[in-house]
Amino acid sequence: MTNPSNHPDVSRPPRQFPMWVALVAAVVCGALMSVQSRINGELGRRLDDGFSAAVISFGSGLVILAVALAFSKRGRAGFAGIRAALRGGALKWWMLVGGAAGAFLVLSQGLTAAILGVALFTVAIVAGQTTSSLVIDVIGLGPGGKHPLTAARVTGAVLALVAVAWSVSSQLAGGSSIWLVVMPLAAGLGIGWQQAVNGRVRVAADSALTSTFLNFLVGTAVLVIAWGVHLAAVGLPEPLPTEAWLYLGGAIGCVFIAGTAIIVRRTGVLLLSLATIAGQLSAALALDLLLPAAGRHADAATIGGTVLAFVAVAVASGRLAPLARLARRARGEQ
């Protein structure tokens, strides 16, 4: 008789930690994503090769995770849970390749961000991410099951798009090839899918380390293939820089990929996406204030957009509902 424990049920209720804790953690993950983007962007600039920077980032993360697996019995045991889930149908094979979406996102940065500009690139990414998050929650692809399409969730998603567009409005410029927007838009769609399937793999493995390792393994393999083609076409990059901080992107990626794989079961994909967007805008604002990049500066639109992003999270999570009820009661009493 088959042991039912070998077939993890991804629909069973998640561990009950407070929603606000999950949202704060998601904001931190988003902030880490923003820091990683700044580090990888600078590494790509120094190498004059975004493909090589992406391979270094993913590859270093994979090495870190491989070492961690060597010392983690639970992490290694997670592969048995994944095999059992595949045999039992709780997982499909395509749920194991979430890292390909991360690789595609990095490639889209290298191929289109410089042409489109950071502002339009960011808007396209967020548009794809929020759209896919809404759809994935409705169909129940994530480990937390289905989340209904409510007015609050749709409003929160729209507010997030407005927040990002507002925050980068001073950087938007015409003249870009609009068809290039398709690639970052598709990358944004992939982010929501990646978060959902990574979350399901984590539940099946009962280990964030196992799911994160698979994510980096797949992503690194995809990027190495793309890098090999690119290398044959353009040749070697510039010599490697010596500053150690330029190689922290992979380690940071390990943290936020593992974190989102855990959080998504509690929040659903949409709330996770909105909170990470708020975190990205917050960290980008802090970096612009403390360590401004060339041609970048914080302005009123950047600050306003960041604040609006947090309002979007509050609206979508229902945190503003008690205030709305109080306001309606107050109006009724007057």
Side-chain angles (χ1 to χ4, degrees), residues 19 138 149:
M19 177 64 79
V138 170
L149 191 64

Side-chain angles (χ1 to χ4, degrees), residues 190-211:
I191 291 174
W193 175 78
Q194 179 189 27
Q195 291 171 340
V197 296
N198 280 355
R200 291 180 71 96
V201 172
R202 189 207 69 82
V203 172
D206 195 26
S207 170
L209 176 58
T210 310
S211 63

Side-chain angles (χ1 to χ4, degrees), residues 40-315:
N40 285 348
E42 180 62 18
L43 178 60
R45 188 187 69 80
R46 299 281 190 94
L47 295 173
D48 194 25
D49 190 338
F51 284 81
S52 296
V55 169
I56 290 171
S57 179
F58 262 76
S60 62
L62 181 61
V63 170
I64 292 170
L65 292 166
V67 172
L69 271 177
F71 291 93
S72 173
K73 183 178 180 180
R74 181 175 179 177
R76 295 193 301 274
F79 292 105
I82 291 173
R83 286 194 296 271
L86 287 169
R87 288 196 300 268
L91 283 180
K92 305 298 182 183
W93 68 266
W94 49 266
M95 295 179 179
L96 304 181
V97 296
F104 184 73
L105 172 62
V106 174
L107 287 178
S108 70
Q109 291 173 335
L111 294 174
T112 67
I115 300 173
L116 291 173
V118 174
L120 187 55
F121 179 86
T122 302
V123 171
I125 287 286
V126 172
Q129 185 177 356
T130 52
T131 301
S132 67
S133 298
L134 277 171
V135 173
I136 286 168
D137 271 354
V138 170
I139 65 177
L141 179 60
K146 294 182 179 181
H147 294 263
L149 191 64
T150 64
R153 292 168 66 81
V154 173
T155 301
V158 173
L159 285 176
L161 290 172
V162 173
V164 174
W166 185 14
S167 67
V168 300
S169 58
S170 63
Q171 304 168 48
L172 290 172
S176 298
S177 299
I178 298 301
W179 67 269
L180 289 174
V181 173
V182 172
M183 190 170 188
L185 182 65
L189 292 170
I191 291 174
W193 175 78
Q194 179 189 27
Q195 291 171 340
V197 296
N198 280 355
R200 291 180 71 96
V201 172
R202 189 207 69 82
V203 172
D206 195 26
S207 170
L209 176 58
T210 310
S211 63
T212 307
F213 176 81
L214 282 176
N215 180 89
F216 272 77
L217 181 65
V218 172
T220 300
V222 171
L223 285 171
V224 166
I225 294 171
W227 175 73
V229 174
H230 175 74
L231 193 66
V234 304
L236 293 171
E238 296 294 322
L240 294 174
T242 57
E243 294 93 329
W245 66 271
L246 289 171
Y247 303 97
L248 294 176
I252 294 173
C254 293
V255 175
F256 74 68
I257 291 295
T260 55
I262 295 170
I263 297 165
V264 67
R265 195 177 182 198
R266 181 69 176 93
T267 62
V269 181
L270 176 64
L271 274 182
L272 173 61
S273 294
L274 298 185
T276 54
I277 289 167
Q280 289 177 65
L281 292 179
S282 299
L285 175 61
L287 288 170
D288 284 347
L289 290 171
L290 301 175
L291 299 169
R296 290 289 304 276
H297 64 280
D299 54 19
T302 305
I303 297 171
T306 301
V307 172
L308 185 58
F310 282 95
V311 173
V313 175
V315 170

